[in-house]
Every structure is written in C-alpha cells, then in structure tokens.
DNA sequence: CACTTGACCTGTCCGC
DNA sequence: TGCGGACAGGTCAAGT
C-alpha cells in the first residue's frame, strides 16, 4: 500500500480540500470495509485530516473520528463537483479524477457538492468510526512506534530501540509498525541499500555507525518520497488521481538483476517474511 | 513468549 | 491464445 509518503501526500491534499466541509451522505457496498454507523457522520463538519503511521484520521466536530487505512490498493479520490465553469456556471466534468468504478466501495458526499471516493481493488482497506476521545487509546493507535520524521525522534532513540529487538532481521523490523511507524516495503528496501546494510542482518548486530546511517537514510528516503508525491509502483494515485514520482528515484526496489551503480554487481531478490526483498550482494554485507 | 505462515482479495505479468 | 503460477505498497490471526 501506500506507505508513509503516499499517505502523507493524500493527507495534505484532503486536509486542504475537505476541512470545513459538512458530510451530507455516506454509502458503501462492502460490509467489512465500513466499521461503524454512518449516522454518526452525516451532518458533521470536518475539522482536520491527520496521519499516524499509515492511517488517516479525519476529525469531525461531533466528537467522532474517521480512521481510514488504504492497505495495499486503497485510493482516496476527491472529486470537486462544486467547481463551476466560470463562463457558463455549469459544473465542470471530473477531468482529473477517475470516475467511480467497480473498485469504489465507500463514497462520502459533502455540502459543497464534492465527493470523496474510497476505491480498493483488493478490499483490504477499511473505514472505521471511533469517538475522538477513544482514538489515541485504541489498540491500533496506541501501539505504533515513533514517527520517523518527528524531530523529537533521534538517532539515539533509534539505536536504543534496535537493542530491544536484537534477534530480528533488520528488514522485517523496519516493517514492524510497533518498532517504527510508516515505513513499508519500498522505503525499507531503499533505506537499507543506501545505508549499505544487508536486510537479513540481525538488528542487534548493527553497530552504532550503521544504526546512525540507517536512521539517516530512512528519513532521507521518506522525505524524497513526500517531495516526489509518493511511489506509484502499481496502483497508487494521490487524492486527485495523479501518480507519484518516487519510483524515478528508487535505486533498488523491484530491480532484481539490474546493475548496482556503485559496484557493478547484480541486484538479488529474496523473500523475508514473505515480502520481496532486494539487495546488492556486494554493497550490503 | 518470539517467530513464521496463511489469510484476506483481485489483478497483472511472465513462461510454457 | 490459454493456463498456471508468482507476485503485488499491509496487517492480522493462527500455528509452531
């Protein structure tokens, strides 16, 4: 799915577009993708859109919060039907955003005529309504590890956390949201390659230098990801239906058999925890 | 406990 | 062109 940079891209766009709007209707066609009562949403106004790990939190003025998880193939598409042709006054057609299709499973309508579509090919994603006061104590939110881009989270903290999980392979640890929030498979592969660390290395075997280097590159690739508007390897698009450009900056993810720019070796692919893992056999010892 | 595997879904791509 | 298998950005529950 959308990892931290992809979710953050959507968060910024939605915060800009839907904050201040009132929800007028909600519809869904797959029960398991909508947990809660839609009556708790209709008539309420959106205060802000936040993010924790890969979860979006839409805060409402009626003390409820909508949590949205896009998992692997979720998309959130904002279609601003209230935009009108300045000449004729007619509504503009939804040019940039894909129209609802068979992957559209939840639809939010707003008082300005705008619509937000939640599309999800594989139906792994979900919408969940919680009382705002329960969100931070909920199982799901309270167990996330630190936000990697939080300025208060430093390299000492990162190293200390590694020491608590000595026996786990570093790649698998990076994907553990309780260890660190928001990193997914693409950015885990990219940061390990740049830091020159073998994905199968045990967390406890990383020296302080390696730990610092990895910490640095995790932040670096996430920042590049946000600047690039996310990674569109497969189905990801932003809230306006546009692809992200991070794959133009990816050096190793998905590049099995390609040549390492530093040493000329061929990249290899293995499975770690069932996830595709790419590495340079020479640079990542 | 900690760690691994399977399940959740649907689609695309690749080799034969 | 068809068919089977591998693979896909994430996270749980269940099994070892």
């Amino acid at each position: 799915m959308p990892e931290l940079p992809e979710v953050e891209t959507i968060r910024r766009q939605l915060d800009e577009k839907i904050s201040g709007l009132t929800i007028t209707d909600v519809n869904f066609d797959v029960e398991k993708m909508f947990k809660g009562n839609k009556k708790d949403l209709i008539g309420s106004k959106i205060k802000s859109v936040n993010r924790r790990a890969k979860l979006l939190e839409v805060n409402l003025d009626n003390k409820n919060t909508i949590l949205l998880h896009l998992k692997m193939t979720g998309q959130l598409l904002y279609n601003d039907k209230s935009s009108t042709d300045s000449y004729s006054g007619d509504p503009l057609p939804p040019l940039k955003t894909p129209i609802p299709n068979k992957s559209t499973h939840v639809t939010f309508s707003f008082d300005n005529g705008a619509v937000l579509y939640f599309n999800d090919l594989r139906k792994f994603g979900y919408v969940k309504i919680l009382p705002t006061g329960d969100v931070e104590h909920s199982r799901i939110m309270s167990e996330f590890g630190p936000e990697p881009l939080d300025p208060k989270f430093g390299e000492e903290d990162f190293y200390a956390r590694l020491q608590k999980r000595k026996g786990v392979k570093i790649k698998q640890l990076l994907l553990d949201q309780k260890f660190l929030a928001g990193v997914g498979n693409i950015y885990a592969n990219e940061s390990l390659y740049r830091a020159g660390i073998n994905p199968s290395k045990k967390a406890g075997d990383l020296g302080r230098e390696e730990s610092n280097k990895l910490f640095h590159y995790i932040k670096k690739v996430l920042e590049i990801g946000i600047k690039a508007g996310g990674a569109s390897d497969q189905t990801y698009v932003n809230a306006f239906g546009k692809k992200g450009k991070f794959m133009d900056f990816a050096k190793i993810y998905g590049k099995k058999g390609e040549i390492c720019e530093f040493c000329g070796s061929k990249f290899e692919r293995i499975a770690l925890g069932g996830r595709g893992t790419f590495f340079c056999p020479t640079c990542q010892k």
Side-chain angles (χ1 to χ4, degrees):
Chain A
M1 116 148 185
E3 308 180 28
L4 187 155
E6 291 74 37
V7 179
E8 178 61 20
T9 298
I10 292 173
R11 183 200 73 76
R12 292 178 185 184
Q13 295 174 329
L14 289 186
D15 190 44
E16 167 86 24
K17 286 292 180 181
I18 69 173
S19 292
L21 301 185
T22 296
I23 299 173
T24 53
D25 200 9
V26 181
N27 288 287
F28 59 95
D29 68 348
V30 174
E31 292 294 325
K32 68 166 192 140
M33 289 184 66
F34 193 94
K35 299 159 186 174
N37 190 335
K38 72 179 191 179
K39 291 200 181 86
D40 291 336
L41 307 183
I42 294 171
S44 64
K45 190 190 230 180
I46 291 169
K47 288 165 65 179
S48 62
V49 183
N50 302 313
R51 179 190 59 76
R52 177 78 171 103
K54 301 168 192 168
L55 260 186
L56 284 169
E57 286 180 60
V58 179
N59 293 118
L60 306 176
D61 70 350
N62 70 349
K63 304 254 192 319
N64 283 310
T65 291
I66 309 171
L67 298 181
L68 298 122
H69 203 307
L70 303 176
K71 292 286 181 86
M72 302 278 260
T73 53
Q75 302 176 327
L76 280 169
L77 295 161
Y78 177 81
N79 185 353
D80 191 349
K81 289 184 181 167
S82 72
S83 300
T84 52
D85 184 314
S86 59
Y87 180 72
S88 67
D90 292 337
L92 288 169
L95 292 176
K96 293 177 188 166
T97 54
I99 56 171
N101 54 42
K102 63 180 178 180
S103 292
T104 303
H105 298 299
V106 186
T107 304
F108 300 89
S109 304
F110 302 100
D111 58 341
N112 67 343
V115 183
L116 182 65
Y117 300 109
F118 185 177
N119 293 358
D120 191 350
L121 172 66
R122 293 169 76 176
K123 303 177 193 165
F124 292 171
Y126 61 83
V127 174
K128 183 173 185 166
I129 302 163
L130 281 182
T132 304
D134 294 352
V135 171
E136 68 172 310
H137 306 293
S138 67
R139 182 90 188 275
I140 180 155
M141 289 302 251
S142 65
E143 294 189 350
F144 284 133
E147 285 289 327
L149 298 180
D150 180 350
K152 294 195 288 290
F153 178 59
E155 57 185 27
E156 313 75 32
D157 306 312
F158 182 72
Y159 185 67
R161 291 181 77 80
L162 281 184
Q163 297 311 300
K164 292 185 197 158
R165 303 288 302 276
K166 286 175 183 289
V168 187
K169 294 184 174 116
I170 185 63
K171 162 82 186 309
Q172 289 178 260
L173 196 52
L174 292 181
L175 296 181
D176 183 345
Q177 302 300 295
K178 298 186 184 79
F179 173 74
L180 192 61
V183 175
N185 205 27
I186 293 178
Y187 297 96
N189 276 288
E190 292 295 325
S191 55
L192 284 165
Y193 173 60
R194 286 162 214 232
I197 296 167
N198 190 291
S200 300
K201 192 162 183 169
K202 299 278 172 41
D205 293 340
L206 268 68
R208 186 57 200 263
E209 284 299 309
E210 286 181 308
S211 171
N212 289 354
K213 209 167 175 183
L214 180 55
F215 175 79
H216 168 78
Y217 279 111
I218 289 168
K219 293 169 78 115
K220 187 81 182 169
V221 296
L222 292 174
E223 282 163 3
I224 295 171
I226 291 171
K227 278 208 187 93
S232 292
D233 184 45
Q234 309 269 332
T235 60
Y236 171 76
V237 290
N238 68 26
F240 305 125
K242 291 256 178 91
K243 290 175 184 285
K245 295 183 170 33
F246 180 79
M247 292 314 290
D248 294 348
F249 303 95
K251 293 179 185 288
I252 196 160
Y253 179 78
K255 299 184 188 294
K256 177 188 175 184
E258 293 189 28
I259 302 302
C260 174
E261 64 179 280
F262 301 113
C263 72
S265 300
K266 273 191 181 177
F267 292 145
E268 295 179 13
R269 180 190 184 281
I270 57 171
L272 284 188
R275 317 301 307 287
T277 302
F278 303 87
F279 67 102
C280 171
T282 305
C283 297
Q284 292 172 270
K285 291 294 184 191

